[in-house]
Amino acid sequence: MAQEVRGVVAPGRNEPVRVETIVVPEPGPGEAVVQVQACGVCHTDLHYKQGGISDDYPFLLGHEAAGVVEAVGSGVTDVAPGDFVVLNWRAVCGQCRACKRGRPWYCFDTHNAEQKMTLKSDGRQLEPALGIGAFAEKTLVAAGQCTKVDPSVSPAVAGLLGCGVMAGIGAAINTGQVTRGDSVAVIGCGGVGDAAIAGARLAGAARIIAVDIDERKLATAEKIGATHTVNSSTADPVEAIRELTGGFGADVVIEAVGRPETYKQAFYARDLAGTVVLVGVPTPEMTLELPLLDVFGRGGSLKSSWYGDCLPSRDFPMLIDLHTQGRLDLGAFVTETINLDEVEKAFERMHAGDVLRSVVML
Ligand code: APR
Ligand code: ZN
Ligand code: ZN
């Protein structure tokens, strides 16, 4: 039977979000209904609300979530009711060229639940943020979006892996392939950059240089594992990074802002044989001009990182285990826990740079 639950809806461009009654259908073939326990507030939710992603309102927001599977539809074998799961953006197909080559993070046939949740008030279909929609007591997803993890971890912590924290850790360990002894520079120390710092530390980086324009962010970055900090509003970050790496530049530079000037800094701050990892997402009108001789003359590699190039079934349980063993402090990313009706205020705090993550508890 379909169920009615409370959920946070973005009704239209730049309108405040509202808690509404939403109707969650019974899971169809390949689908699951998840009882959401925690869901982090991410910039992408704000972009949905502001119209930066599309105009397919109304949106059901929330996409960094963990919870318990309540029911599954026919054909679902990987998860069962009662499983504690972390949700991811899309289920991969397992059949396309990318999947068959063992690189499912490049899958070009990903999918979400086929059925739609609806607004009780007028029956309109809801577009779930990143195919999840988890600022809601229950949500409907494709079963392949659910990854089982150790249920002893707190849901607020587990849910973080659903987006920004995984993107950052993955940028370091999957895309950047940071290894023991490396020097790593991270430009932009918000949630994603800080997670990249945590990832670099986990991988055994010897030097981790945090770069930001905000002293508060640099202080947090140090707590998370940065060994050096550079305030790029007062110092040239490329020079500072070179100085801190014996004149060479960092082995791996991770850009976690998404702006032309920081892309450029990342390009020049790497060692000639180093790797630049781009995880900050630019906007469509942004461009970058570089002397071709520099593009040609510098070796190494330039990689973009999509969702931390993660493989949820491999990476979510592993990172939860490391957290549980005390080797990775995911709890450091949870600044506050809030209720469903406080999401609008959490957006303001996020915009002001006051929080790493506000997490809605359900
Ligand atoms: N140089 C250095 N740091 C900067 C600059 C700059 N020119 N401009 C902004 N920053 C810093 C901010 O002070 C902040 O600490 O970058 C950080 C950005 O952090 P958040 O706004 O919290 O964003 P976050 O969630 O970490 O995401 C960063 O990664 O996945 C992408 O879409 C995401 O593009 C975004 C980026
Ligand atoms: Zn595929
Ligand atoms: Zn997100």
Side-chain angles (χ1 to χ4, degrees):
M1 263 215 319
Q3 311 183 58
E4 292 179 5
V5 301
R6 296 190 325 133
V8 176
V9 171
R13 195 178 261 256
N14 268 326
E15 286 175 39
V17 299
R18 288 205 293 259
V19 177
E20 298 263 8
T21 302
I22 64 170
V23 181
V24 182
E26 246 187 274
E31 294 176 345
V33 168
V34 175
Q35 205 176 346
V36 181
Q37 293 179 318
C39 182
V41 182
C42 171
H43 280 82
T44 306
D45 294 305
L46 182 60
H47 294 158
Y48 271 108
K49 173 191 131 137
Q50 293 172 330
I53 296 188
S54 85
D55 271 319
D56 296 335
Y57 294 99
F59 293 110
L60 174 61
L61 299 183
H63 62 273
E64 288 190 4
V68 174
V69 175
E70 182 186 75
V72 296
S74 61
V76 174
T77 51
D78 285 352
V79 287
D83 284 348
F84 179 60
V85 295
V86 176
L87 302 182
N88 71 71
W89 303 346
R90 292 173 190 97
V92 297
C93 76
Q95 303 298 322
C96 72
R97 183 163 183 269
C99 282
K100 290 211 158 127
R101 292 176 83 202
R103 298 179 185 172
W105 49 92
Y106 290 134
C107 174
F108 49 75
D109 196 17
T110 55
H111 66 282
N112 304 120
E114 280 189 17
Q115 300 183 87
K116 292 284 183 192
M117 292 173 276
T118 52
L119 269 177
K120 189 190 177 198
S121 56
D122 59 11
R124 272 188 300 164
Q125 287 195 351
L126 286 162
E127 208 46 58
L130 292 176
I132 293 179
F135 289 150
E137 290 157 327
K138 293 178 186 179
T139 192
L140 175 80
V141 292
Q145 291 178 261
C146 301
T147 305
K148 249 174 105 160
V149 299
D150 178 352
S152 71
V153 73
S154 99
V157 158
L160 295 174
L161 296 177
C163 185
V165 169
M166 185 67 246
I169 296 180
I173 66 176
N174 293 334
T175 318
Q177 298 275 308
V178 172
T179 43
R180 180 166 36 86
D182 277 354
S183 57
V184 176
V186 176
I187 304 179
C189 303
V192 174
D194 278 348
I197 290 171
R201 179 183 184 179
L202 193 62
R207 257 166 204 243
I208 305 175
I209 305 162
V211 180
D212 205 291
I213 49 175
D214 182 337
E215 279 298 330
R216 295 174 303 168
K217 301 291 182 167
L218 292 172
T220 313
E222 252 180 329
K223 281 195 201 124
I224 288 179
T227 58
H228 301 77
T229 60
V230 175
N231 187 328
S232 55
S233 63
T234 53
D236 176 348
V238 175
E239 265 174 37
I241 291 166
R242 288 226 182 105
E243 242 165 61
L244 289 164
T245 52
F248 296 108
D251 295 309
V252 181
V253 182
I254 299 168
E255 199 283 355
V257 184
R259 299 193 49 80
E261 65 272 24
T262 43
Y263 265 51
K264 192 166 182 179
Q265 289 161 6
F267 180 81
Y268 284 108
R270 78 177 195 274
D271 177 81
L272 284 179
T275 303
V276 176
V277 177
L278 304 168
V279 63
V281 183
T283 55
E285 74 284 357
M286 290 176 178
T287 59
L288 177 61
E289 202 171 303
L290 288 169
L292 276 190
L293 203 52
D294 288 353
V295 178
F296 171 77
R298 302 178 65 85
S301 60
L302 194 63
K303 295 165 139 185
S304 62
S305 183
W306 179 243
Y307 201 169
D309 291 345
C310 79
L311 197 51
S313 57
R314 175 194 65 193
D315 295 339
F316 292 179
M318 168 191 72
L319 294 172
I320 295 286
D321 284 349
L322 291 170
H323 168 78
T324 309
Q325 295 161 10
R327 295 157 74 190
L328 168 69
D329 181 12
L330 292 173
F333 292 87
V334 181
T335 315
E336 59 174 6
T337 54
I338 59 171
N339 299 320
L340 263 190
D341 39 27
E342 294 173 294
V343 170
E344 186 68 40
K345 279 204 196 109
F347 282 144
E348 285 164 26
R349 286 195 287 276
M350 185 173 73
H351 193 67
D354 292 340
V355 292
L356 269 183
R357 273 295 181 269
S358 307
V359 178
V360 176
M361 302 301 291
L362 292 126

